Amino acid sequence: MNVTSQYRFTILVPYYNERENIPALENRLGAYLQHCPASPACVLFVNDGSTDGGEALVHEACGRNKDFYYLDLEANTGLSGALKAGISVCESEYVGYIDADLQTDPEDFSLLLEHISEYELVLGIRAQRKDGFVKRASSKIANSWRRMMTGDGITDTGCPLKVLQTPYAKELPLFKGMHRFIPALVQMQGGRCLEIPVRHYPRTAGTAKYNLGNRLWGPFVDCFAFRWMRKRYKKIKISAGNL
């Protein structure tokens, strides 16, 4: 039996070379699980082919915490691949994710969970964002382009704090850049999305994995791929069976 089926909420933590953040992640996520409103809840770390030895710290943390689990991917696949890997094994009612850089606060999952029974996806908006000017400006441009191309109406799709109803999460198709289109992909399935302001902090450890090029060029190209896929999307509904 998949152990996540024993939980109501699974928090995915995809990470790549975030060794310096692992101790803080263990402490803050472990503390949050004690009073998470969607209880029982667990944490699933997804190692996206790290090369800095951080996976050893995660394995140790999972040994110390009864509600911590891990997946190690054979090679680096990018955030979309790591998310899809975690979602594919998740059997809890709800699934969420937070970035390993801790620029968002696990405590703010409670703000999102308050609405998850009414919406298929609840995601954060980074209030008073603490990134530098170049990062904020490039993100604003990318978000504006994506909204125009997808019509999803979402302000901050890049916010690394989201909660989904698991059946909708499992229907997300894996492609490079999928994580940028989660709201649009949920809407494509007929789901509803709600944005909630959440706290944001500067990065205090580790290094960012995105630069100006992959923050602008990637979303620009991927929007065309999304529009191509949406035009051909077919939703299957089974009316009867005897399995």
Side-chain angles (χ1 to χ4, degrees):
M1 180 178 65
N2 185 322
V3 68
T4 62
S5 65
Q6 302 173 25
Y7 295 90
R8 190 178 177 205
F9 179 41
T10 300
I11 299 173
L12 302 180
V13 187
Y15 70 95
Y16 174 70
N17 290 350
E18 293 283 0
R19 180 185 176 89
E20 297 174 16
N21 280 311
I22 301 305
L25 279 165
E26 178 183 1
N27 292 335
R28 292 174 68 177
L29 288 166
Y32 178 66
L33 292 186
Q34 303 306 309
H35 59 85
C36 174
S39 181
C42 67
V43 174
L44 176 59
F45 291 92
V46 183
N47 169 28
D48 191 25
S50 293
T51 58
D52 66 348
E55 68 276 11
L57 299 182
V58 168
H59 294 178
E60 292 171 5
C62 291
R64 288 189 292 266
N65 297 269
K66 66 180 181 65
D67 299 315
F68 280 23
Y69 305 94
Y70 70 85
L71 289 179
D72 289 334
L73 305 188
E74 289 186 352
N76 178 250
T77 62
L79 178 57
S80 294
L83 280 174
K84 187 63 175 176
I87 290 169
S88 69
V89 303
C90 180
E91 299 296 338
S92 55
E93 183 179 2
Y94 306 125
V95 58
Y97 92 88
I98 186 171
D99 274 359
D101 59 18
L102 282 175
Q103 287 193 253
T104 48
D105 195 326
E107 296 289 333
D108 285 347
F109 272 122
S110 295
L111 301 175
L112 309 187
L113 287 165
E114 185 177 341
H115 304 277
I116 193 57
S117 63
E118 304 166 36
Y119 293 86
E120 286 71 28
L121 165 65
V122 186
L123 64 159
I125 302 174
R126 290 168 284 191
Q128 300 179 343
R129 192 168 171 181
K130 304 302 182 183
D131 292 320
F133 172 77
V134 172
K135 189 173 182 180
R136 285 185 286 111
S138 59
S139 180
K140 185 175 182 179
I141 294 170
N143 271 311
S144 297
W145 171 252
R146 187 210 68 258
R147 279 195 302 273
M148 183 185 72
M149 292 289 282
T150 66
D152 63 11
I154 299 299
T155 304
D156 186 16
T157 190
C159 179
L161 200 71
K162 296 180 174 69
V163 177
L164 300 98
Q165 295 182 13
T166 300
Y168 281 79
K170 285 186 174 294
E171 288 296 318
L172 297 176
L174 175 59
F175 61 92
K176 187 176 181 180
M178 174 200 78
H179 62 279
R180 301 186 184 102
F181 298 93
I182 289 176
L185 291 167
V186 168
Q187 290 171 355
M188 190 174 72
Q189 300 176 48
R192 297 159 297 169
C193 305
L194 177 68
E195 288 184 290
I196 299 291
V198 298
R199 291 168 288 185
H200 192 249
Y201 306 94
R203 178 186 269 273
T204 59
T207 57
K209 307 304 183 293
Y210 292 93
N211 53 45
L212 187 60
N214 58 26
R215 195 175 290 116
L216 285 178
W217 179 247
F220 177 81
V221 174
D222 292 342
C223 279
F224 291 100
F226 169 78
R227 285 168 67 99
W228 181 92
M229 181 182 62
R230 182 174 62 181
K231 187 176 181 180
R232 292 158 179 79
Y233 176 73
K234 298 292 184 183
K235 186 173 179 63
I236 299 171
K237 295 182 178 180
I238 298 173
S239 62
N242 69 341
L243 295 174

